[in-house]
Amino acid sequence: MSVRVSVEELAAWRAAQAATGRRELGAWVRAVVTEALTGRRGVPGDVPVVPLVNAAAYGQLVAAANNLNQLTRYSHEQRELHTAIQAAIEEVGRAALAVRGLGPDRATADDDEHQDVEAAR
């Protein structure tokens, strides 16, 4: 299939494509048309793209999850919990919040509730 567009339209399409992080114009067009037809974002089978803003937080989440995995393996092999496992669980939680844009600098109602529970212990 081919589509004819003006130079101005192509420039506008490319700018919109670049804003989504898609590398191929055809993939962007399919995603836009699919969303228009179905009301759902993306195309079935798409791999979610981590926004660049969250790339560092995602890297931290991967590293924290790897640490937790190693500690879990140790715990299974030794049949006891490693002393660092609680810290690793908390690290994964913080990293997951950071990926969602909810770091320690962004207090939420859940944070207040969690602090109340911690204080009661």
Side-chain angles (χ1 to χ4, degrees), residues 16-99:
Q17 169 207 354
T20 67
R22 290 188 181 272
R23 291 186 224 152
E24 297 177 5
L25 184 60
W28 174 80
V29 169
R30 282 190 301 280
V32 169
V33 171
T34 298
E35 183 176 347
L37 294 174
T38 66
R40 290 187 309 271
R41 295 189 71 173
V43 176
D46 260 358
V47 175
V49 176
V50 177
L52 291 178
V53 172
N54 290 347
Y58 180 76
Q60 291 174 337
L61 178 59
V62 168
N66 285 336
N67 290 342
L68 182 56
N69 186 44
Q70 291 172 1
L71 290 168
T72 301
R73 184 178 306 128
Y74 169 89
S75 296
H76 284 289
E77 290 170 355
Q78 302 300 315
R79 299 195 184 278
E80 66 181 4
L81 288 179
H82 190 282
T83 56
I85 202 148
Q86 183 62 38
I89 291 169
E90 291 170 4
E91 182 183 5
V92 170
R94 283 191 303 275
L97 288 174
V99 168

Side-chain angles (χ1 to χ4, degrees), residues 3-29:
V3 178
R4 294 179 191 258
V5 295
S6 69
V7 172
E8 294 81 16
E9 289 170 322
L10 181 59
W13 284 22
R14 291 246 183 240
Q17 169 207 354
T20 67
R22 290 188 181 272
R23 291 186 224 152
E24 297 177 5
L25 184 60
W28 174 80
V29 169

